[in-house]
Structures are given as C-alpha cells and as structure tokens.
Amino acid sequence: MPTMQLFNWLPDSPIVTFTILLLVSLTLPPWFERLRLPGLVGLLLAGVVLGEHGLGLLNSQSETMKLLSDIGKIYLMFVAGLEIDLVQFQSKKNRSIGFGISTFIFPMLAGIAIGLWFGMGWNAAILIGSLLASHTLLAYPIVQRLGLIDTEPIIISVGATIFTSISALLVLAICVSVQAGEFSLFSLSWQLGSLAIYSAIVLFGFDWLGKAYFKRNGSEEGNQFLFVLLSVFLASVGAQIIQIDQIVGAFLAGLAVNDAVGNSLVKEKVEFVGSVLFIPFFFIAMGLFLNVPVFISTLTTNFTLPLAIVLGLIISKFIAAWAVKLLYGYSLDETLLIWSLSLPQVATTLAAALVGFNVGLLNEQVFNSIIVLMLATSILGPLLTQQYAPRLLTLKPKPPLNPNKALIWWENSQQQAEEAPPFTVVVPISNPDTQRYLMEMAALIARHENGSIVSLAIATHAQVHMDEPELQSTLRQSRVLLKRSVEVGKAFQIKTDPMLRIDSDVATGIVRTACEQEASLIVMGWSETSSLRARLFGTLIDSVFWSSHCPVAVMRLLQEPVEIRQILVLVKSIAPRTIRTIRFAQLLAYTNQATVTLLQICPAQTTSYQINLIKRELTEVLSAESSAIKTNVIVKATNDVVETILNQAKGFDLVVLRSQRRRTAGGLAVSSVTHEVMQNLECSVVMFGEPQA
C-alpha cells in the first residue's frame, strides 16, 4: 500500500497507462541488449516492478491493460505467421513436416509426463506438453547474418514452425474446451469440423482477397496497411465465434496474408508497428501477472518443477533433432544447429500459457515455470546457435564465380547477354550540393559497363492545373539541375539523357522511370537536412528500395569519386549479391587504382580453421575479377560488430555495405547494425539495396 500511495498523485487515466508503457518500451530493451540479454526480459521485469506486486502503477485487470495486452498477443501471433517463409517451406516440405512431427511429439510426451509426475490432471498435462512442442525462431537473425538461410537445416527449422505452431494452438483449443466443461465426442467433432472450415476460409479466402486487393490498390500503402490489420482482427473475431482462442485466428491470418504481402514495404510497416508498440505491451502485461512471492517460492521451495520443464524441453528437443539426423542423414553440426534453433520458447508458448492461466488450466507455479522456461531458452538458444552456425560455413557449397560477366548486377546476365538492354544508370537529382558527386559516380559505373546515364528531376504536383506558379518555379529549377548533369556526363564522355517528370510522388516517379528506361541501377543520395534515421529508412528511400525492379545505390559522398583510394567492403557471407557488391568496389578501384579491403565479421566462437577458410574463399572472389587490383582480406571473430566495423573503417575513403532489411525475432525489433554504423562513420558511404525477386 505505501508504494501505491507514493504515486496516487497520478490521474487514473488510460493516457497515463499508455504513456508508462511507451516509456518502458522505449528505454528498457536497449539496456538489456547491451547486457547480451533479450530485450523482452527487460519488459517482463518492468511488468513485475510496475504491477500490483511492485509499485502498483499498472493494473492487469484494468480495461486499458486488457485491451492493449490482447492486441499485443494477437499481433505477436500474427507476426509469427507473417514471418514464416512459405517459399522455403515448399522447397523442403516433406522434411519440414518430418522435423515438425518429431519436434512436436517428443516435447509433447515430455510435457505430459512432467505434468502427470507433479500430480496434475490429464488436461493440464496435455496443455503443458503443447507449450513445449512449439518453438520461436529467435536466433534467425544470427543464421541470416552468416548467409545460411538457404541451407537445409534452416529451411526445415522454419518449415517445422508452421506445423508445431498450428498443432500446439489446436491442442490449446481442445484443452480450453475441456476446461469449460463443453467437451464431448460430438463437441470435439464439431469443433474440429468448424476449425477445418474456418481455417480454409482464412487461409485461402484471405489469401485470395489480399492478392486481389493489393493488385487493385498497388500504390495505396495506407489502405493496404489497414487491410492487413482488418484481416488479423477479423480472423481473431472469427476464431472467437467458433469458440477457439483468438491467437489461433491471428496466426492463421499471418499465414494467409503472407503470400499476398510478400516482402513488401507494407509488411515491413506492419511488423514495425507491432514490434515497437503492441507486442512490447504484451510482454509487460505478462510481467504484471507474475506474483513475486510465488515466483520466488517456485524457484526456491519448488525448484524441481521449473527445472523439470526446462530440462524436459532441452532433452526432448535434442531427441527430436537426433531423430531427423538418423532419418535424413544430417551431420552432427547440422543436427546441433537444428536443435539450437528449436529451443527458444517465446511467441506461441507465452501466448498459449497466458490463455491457460486465465481460464484456470495452469496454476501460478506452472505459469511461473513457463516464464523461467522462456527466459532460459531465449538466452540458451541464440548462444548455442552462435556456437554451431559458423560450423556450417565449411559445409555450404560456394556459389559459382563468373569473372567474365559483362554486367555486374544480375545472376543470369551471362545467359541473357545478347538480349539484355544497354546498361543504364538512373540518377535522381534534387540537391545541387550533392548532384555532381552522384553524377560522377554514376559516370564511372556507366563508363565501365559501356552504358549511359538518365538524369532525372521530378517536380511533385498533386493538383490538376499545370499553370500554378509554384510548379512552374520548380520546373525551372529542375531544368537548371538537368543542364548541369549533362555537363558532368560530357566531362566523363558518357551519354547523358536528361528527363523532367511531373509526378504526385517522388519515389513512384523514380521507380517508374527506372522501369520504363530498363535501368540497370539507380544511384541516389540522401538529404543532409534530415535525421540519419530518416535518411536511411525514411519514406523516400524505403519506397525506392522496396519498389524498384533493379538495384539501388544510396550514397553519401564526401569527396570526388575519382579521389577515392582506399575502399572497405563489409561482407556478411559469400553469396551472389555479396559478390556483386564486391564487383562494384573493384570497378571503382580499377578506375582509380585504389585498394579494396574485404571485412567479414564472424561470431566470437569461430575457430581459426573456419577463419582461414573464409579468408581463402574471399581471396578467390577478389582474384576472380582482376589480379591487377590491390586487395586485402580481414576476418574478425567478435560479437561487438559495430565497434569492430568502426575501428576497421578508420583511414578508408569509402565504405561499401549492403542494406539489411530489419526483421523481428519473437516479436521484438532486432537492432540495426547498419544504422549504428552509419551514425558514426566519418567517410563516404555507398549502401546497396536489391530487388526482392
């Protein structure tokens, strides 16, 4: 009571609750990530401290918290379905289902055995088993950074997520029905039948509607965003109508609109809103339910229950991974990586645990044990993945190198060399301060590829009348910039076609012009007057990155391109797109007699043998283009990626890196290494983004 009275001066208002949640979501996760702990741990602890058993600032029973918690829970399961790569699942469907069955059955049996051993009823024991059966790909960004997402162990781990999540949610629906006293053979048959019909309507109906809607409203991102939100909440309402939990509908909605949304900017915005807003609210709400005395008692007087659940999960998931090793002939390293990826229990487990706790299926001791399980596996899983993932670099086949390609951007350029259009670089120009350096860089690229430049000026105008003074003034300024661009092209002896376009949207004008001109590359800069975050991920650059049919190079050039002598290229993995980025650096180096240095950063656990292997592969990539270019290779084994990049970049004139799409893991935003690097680099930078196809 004294702690609650300490803050009784605060008004009892939903706005106060919302403000507190925003403050916690903004401040705590970064602090915990610096401690090498998942950000969600900080959110859970904040819920404990701010809840009824702490300072009393937040009330889990208030209508505001119930609403925000439910939205966060629905959003969490929706994002879990949205992030599943259906293309990868289809490529290894049979093996994905095989591992899905294995990693569901063994933990399910282990959970049932644990529940019965501790004196619980069959219904509660089965629910505990279903909680252990699913998994969250919390360590996916680690394997993505290493370029392993197209390897079979990763593909079947992603595919198994679909099977285990749907199966676990189905078990949850049945257990809740039994708990409500509505279970019978007839009710089970009705529920399974209604669930099958409902699932078909959501999966196929929403998919068809999504594709049709997106086709008709291709440029209306706001309406597309609202359509996606309507889909998830409509599916959740439909789930409640047939008396199953709403998180089942949310997950199915994520799978349904997955194909329609694809890897579009709308998907990025949907995940972004959930990751920074509603999903953190859910984890804070989870902390509110934690009774600190009972939690401490669970860890002290009854430690055997959480220990049994944690060990049961770890052992059963290992048995499941070992089973697919024997079945499909995977190596030990592949098996250990599969096991580590299937350990984290976050999204489905926590959402289902909260449902079971609210309906009285799980008591506080079991609920607290599930929280311990989440904390233990969300830390252990990524740590093990960092340990085992680098070992697969020695097993992954190297991409074929083709040093004789005429064009540096496309994998299939050699096959289509006779049909390919002339190499064209589109350069949007709007800032006279940065225009010349951009044009010079485009000229160097076009000259190397025997191509030409299209300098593009876009006058934005949303009105019907073309005689408005503001538009005419903009057109006059644009013509001046275009005239200067032609002069730069002449100086480099490159054909330059100036193009003036009137459009209601700059990004749309850029990508449409590039497509109409069959451009091979877009070279653009960013405004020095806007914030760094906006320059990198703002509306214009975001839209061009996601919409363009060809590669995009966003540049911050602090000196003339012809004066660049030392080039540093950040390499995440040996992949065709990475090789094209290296080729660009070599192109510039060949023109300027510059030196190219490749920098790849591996996890700290990478062995000396693996480091030497990576160096040898990178050296082969460099030497495949031209032995006349001075080259260096640096491989660093460290977990401090940003600091290492900044230290290595000192003394270089240009840093070349690839854009990395921000993802979510377990519903929480992964920090952007690119953003931190760009914030502190003091030299010129080129950042590449490529089409999704």
Side-chain angles (χ1 to χ4, degrees), residues 75 225 229 268-280:
Y75 223 120
F225 181 83
L229 287 187
E268 182 78 2
K269 290 181 177 179
V270 169
E271 292 186 343
F272 177 77
V273 170
S275 299
V276 302
L277 197 62
F278 296 117
I279 295 175

Side-chain angles (χ1 to χ4, degrees), residues 90 144 159 207 258 416 445 534 582 610 678 686:
Q90 287 292 336
Q144 184 188 43
D207 181 32
N258 192 320
Q416 299 179 354
I445 298 172
I582 296 173
Q610 292 164 346
M678 292 293 299
V686 174

